[in-house]
Each structure stands twice: as C-alpha cells, then as structure tokens.
Amino acid sequence: MKSWDVIVVGGGIAGLSAAMYAGRFMLKTLVITKERLGLLATTHTVENYPGFKKIVGAELVKKVEDHAVASGAEIIDGEAVEIKKSGEGFAVKTTKNEVFHAKAIIITTGTKHRELDVPGVKKLFGKGVSYCATCDGPLYRNKIVGVVGGSDSAAKEALMLSQFAKKVFIIYRKEKIRAEPVIMKRVEKNEKVEVINNANVVRINGKDFLKSVTLDREYNDSKDLKLDGLFIEIGSVPLAGLVKPLGVKLNVKGEIIIDKSSRTSVKGVFAAGDCCNTGWKQAIIGAGEGAHAAFSAYEYIQNLK
C-alpha cells in the first residue's frame, strides 16, 4: 500500500507552495495534479508577485515546482476522482485506478474558466473562440480580436493581444472595466485597444471559423461586430466538488470554506488557493494559504502521534 503523510491535490502555485513547505517539515509529500502548473501558467505576464517585477506566469510556477521537488515532494500526473476516509487517514483514487493513502489532505484544485453561454460558442471553440490569450494570441497577428469581460484579467489579456493584433475590442456588460489603476492607464494609452461598454455578446457567427459577434446594442450603427478571434475572460468556477462527499463545507459559490489557518470543516483536510472562499484571488495569497495549509497539516499529524 502506497502511504504518505500528506497528499496535495492540485499542482498550481497554491499546491506547490504547500508541497514545498510540507517537504521542509519533513513530511512525506505527494502532489497529484491533472494540469501541471495550474491556470497561472496561462498568464502571459505577472507583475504583482513579490520579488519579480515582471515574470511569465509559467516561469514563476515552474520555479515553485522546482523548489517543491528540491524540498522532497514527489509530483505525479493524474486526476484525483475520489477522496474518502480510510482508517485514521484518507484514500485518494485517481482516474488510473491508483489509490494513495495519507494522514492529511490539502486541496488546491483551483478553478476553471467560466464559459460564455451563447449560440456559437461550442461550435466555434478552437475556430476563433478561445479561453486562453497566452496560448492562442500569436495566431492573430495583424487581425481584429475581441475580449469579453471587464476584470483586471480581461484588461491584461487585451494588452497582451495588442502585441499581435491590429485591433482589440474589450466588450463589457457594464459602464467601466474593473482593472487595477496601473493596468487601466495602459489600456487608455494603448491606441489598439478600444472598450465597448454596456454591451453583451449574444451570438457568435461563422460557419467554419468565427466571422463576427452579435451584440445586444448597436456599435457604429450595427449590432454585428466583425472579428477574427474572440477571447473569453468572464471569471472562473471553483473546482471543489471532489470534497463534497467528505462533508467539507462549501459556500453558496461552491468554494471551500477555510479558516485563517487553511483548515476546512473536516479534520485532516486542508485547502488553499482559488478553490477557497478567499475574497481576493491572487497568486501570492494562494501561495500563502498553501504554506499555512502545510503548517496546519504538520500540526495535525504531530497531534496524531
């Protein structure tokens, strides 16, 4: 039987930070991750992580992953599909039907992109519709693209796309986008970026590839806006369903409820990062929560002895 002190489910910055600290606490630590490096790896540029004035998201998380491995953590690729109580500890089952046992569990499953639910999205996904500007932006050199959303992330996506596209529209349902002041200034100064406010995309048009989107209000005397690509950045959905059968409490948004020490409602189960009920979703906060989760797991295991 494969047995560990701590199993971390999720390989983003929160999970890898937890693994790094757990390793330093001399806990036998395993990370099970469906997607290496998490969603932060799809972020083109990170400028608000202490110690790095500017760094590519994937590079930042890879540094944390290397640190976790150097601290003694083991990382395997796989998707955890079931966690249940097993004796005094827990058993984690993966899609490969492997079962791993641990005294404590740290959940850092993060989020997934919220999907735009309008006609044409699924048909044209990968054919002009994308949820990752970092992945697909270079394909739209000298073309016209749109970004749906009004968050800081949407503004950053638009700025990144402006390095390739000749025109970038930010389409937002409210009056003003909600970017950090420094990002907002860059948007306003960028001649390639234009905001279409008080507008929703209600349909995506095209046969084999995206040709245009239909808005719910007129823009330049037409509700149809010609685009070569559309990038969707309308928030995220927490991936926390895995712990519901354990009895871990979630809030109305489906986020895992944790205390200031990253403890959940179930003893021996801890959580960190964007899947939790933290008000502000930031890499530095997820990393801090991961460290807290590792320390709390260490204390929990010590008390078992």
Side-chain angles (χ1 to χ4, degrees), residues 8-9 14-15 18 105-109 240 243 248-250 255-266 268-278 285-286 288-294 296-297:
V8 179
V9 181
I105 302 291
I106 300 175
I107 304 296
T108 62
T109 42
V243 296
V248 172
K249 291 183 179 179
L250 309 180
E255 300 167 325
I256 299 172
I257 298 172
I258 58 172
D259 65 12
K260 63 181 181 180
S261 296
S262 291
R263 293 177 293 223
T264 73
S265 60
V266 174
V269 180
F270 309 88
D274 287 358
C275 64
C276 299
N277 63 327
T278 308
I285 293 174
E289 287 175 352
H292 235 144
S296 295

Side-chain angles (χ1 to χ4, degrees), residues 34-67:
K34 180 182 178 182
E35 294 183 6
R36 291 264 179 157
L37 310 183
L39 271 184
L40 186 60
T42 66
T43 301
H44 181 63
T45 304
V46 177
E47 297 179 297
N48 55 3
Y49 196 91
F52 300 95
K53 292 181 180 178
K54 189 174 184 179
I55 187 169
V56 174
E59 182 183 355
L60 173 61
V61 190
K62 187 63 172 66
K63 287 179 182 291
V64 183
E65 181 184 71
D66 292 343
H67 199 168

Side-chain angles (χ1 to χ4, degrees), residues 147-209:
V147 177
V148 179
S151 65
D152 189 65
S153 296
K156 288 178 179 177
E157 296 276 81
L159 290 171
M160 192 282 287
L161 287 166
S162 72
Q163 298 176 33
F164 305 101
K166 64 181 179 182
K167 182 72 177 180
V168 183
F169 292 99
I170 299 177
I171 305 165
Y172 186 44
R173 60 190 177 87
K174 293 186 178 181
E175 181 66 32
K176 187 176 181 181
I177 62 175
R178 301 169 286 107
E180 288 183 42
V182 64
I183 300 299
M184 193 66 232
K185 286 184 179 179
R186 292 177 188 173
V187 169
E188 292 169 347
K189 290 181 179 180
N190 193 314
E191 294 181 354
K192 289 185 176 182
V193 179
E194 181 177 345
V195 179
I196 302 176
N197 54 19
N198 298 316
N200 291 282
V201 172
V202 295
R203 189 172 64 246
I204 297 174
N205 310 307
K207 184 178 180 182
D208 298 317
F209 204 85

Side-chain angles (χ1 to χ4, degrees), residues 1-244:
M1 183 176 71
K2 299 177 180 179
S3 185
W4 307 79
D5 291 319
V6 175
I7 291 178
V8 179
V9 181
I13 196 163
L16 294 170
S17 298
M20 184 268 285
Y21 270 89
R24 289 182 62 82
F25 288 132
M26 302 301 290
L27 299 175
K28 188 178 180 184
T29 304
L30 175 68
V31 179
I32 301 174
T33 179
K34 180 182 178 182
E35 294 183 6
R36 291 264 179 157
L37 310 183
L39 271 184
L40 186 60
T42 66
T43 301
H44 181 63
T45 304
V46 177
E47 297 179 297
N48 55 3
Y49 196 91
F52 300 95
K53 292 181 180 178
K54 189 174 184 179
I55 187 169
V56 174
E59 182 183 355
L60 173 61
V61 190
K62 187 63 172 66
K63 287 179 182 291
V64 183
E65 181 184 71
D66 292 343
H67 199 168
V69 172
S71 297
E74 182 178 343
I75 303 173
I76 63 170
D77 295 307
E79 181 181 2
V81 293
E82 181 183 65
I83 303 174
K84 61 182 181 180
K85 291 286 291 184
S86 177
E88 292 188 350
F90 302 88
V92 181
K93 184 180 179 181
T94 72
T95 49
K96 300 176 183 178
N97 285 321
E98 296 175 302
V99 179
F100 302 91
H101 295 264
K103 298 170 184 174
I105 302 291
I106 300 175
I107 304 296
T108 62
T109 42
T111 61
K112 65 177 181 178
H113 290 293
R114 187 181 299 279
E115 296 181 3
L116 182 65
D117 186 17
V118 300
V121 167
K122 293 181 179 179
K123 175 186 173 183
L124 295 173
F125 176 70
K127 302 175 182 178
V129 175
S130 173
Y131 288 88
C132 182
T134 301
C135 313
D136 300 328
L139 301 174
Y140 294 88
R141 193 176 300 275
N142 297 321
K143 297 192 175 187
I144 302 172
V145 300
V147 177
V148 179
S151 65
D152 189 65
S153 296
K156 288 178 179 177
E157 296 276 81
L159 290 171
M160 192 282 287
L161 287 166
S162 72
Q163 298 176 33
F164 305 101
K166 64 181 179 182
K167 182 72 177 180
V168 183
F169 292 99
I170 299 177
I171 305 165
Y172 186 44
R173 60 190 177 87
K174 293 186 178 181
E175 181 66 32
K176 187 176 181 181
I177 62 175
R178 301 169 286 107
E180 288 183 42
V182 64
I183 300 299
M184 193 66 232
K185 286 184 179 179
R186 292 177 188 173
V187 169
E188 292 169 347
K189 290 181 179 180
N190 193 314
E191 294 181 354
K192 289 185 176 182
V193 179
E194 181 177 345
V195 179
I196 302 176
N197 54 19
N198 298 316
N200 291 282
V201 172
V202 295
R203 189 172 64 246
I204 297 174
N205 310 307
K207 184 178 180 182
D208 298 317
F209 204 85
L210 184 148
K211 296 297 183 183
S212 68
V213 299
T214 301
L215 307 177
D216 61 355
R217 76 167 181 87
E218 288 191 354
Y219 169 78
N220 287 345
D221 299 323
S222 176
K223 288 187 176 181
D224 287 334
L225 179 67
K226 290 184 178 180
L227 295 176
D228 299 298
L230 183 70
F231 294 83
I232 300 167
E233 189 63 53
I234 56 173
S236 57
V237 178
L239 296 171
L242 184 63
V243 296
K244 288 181 70 175

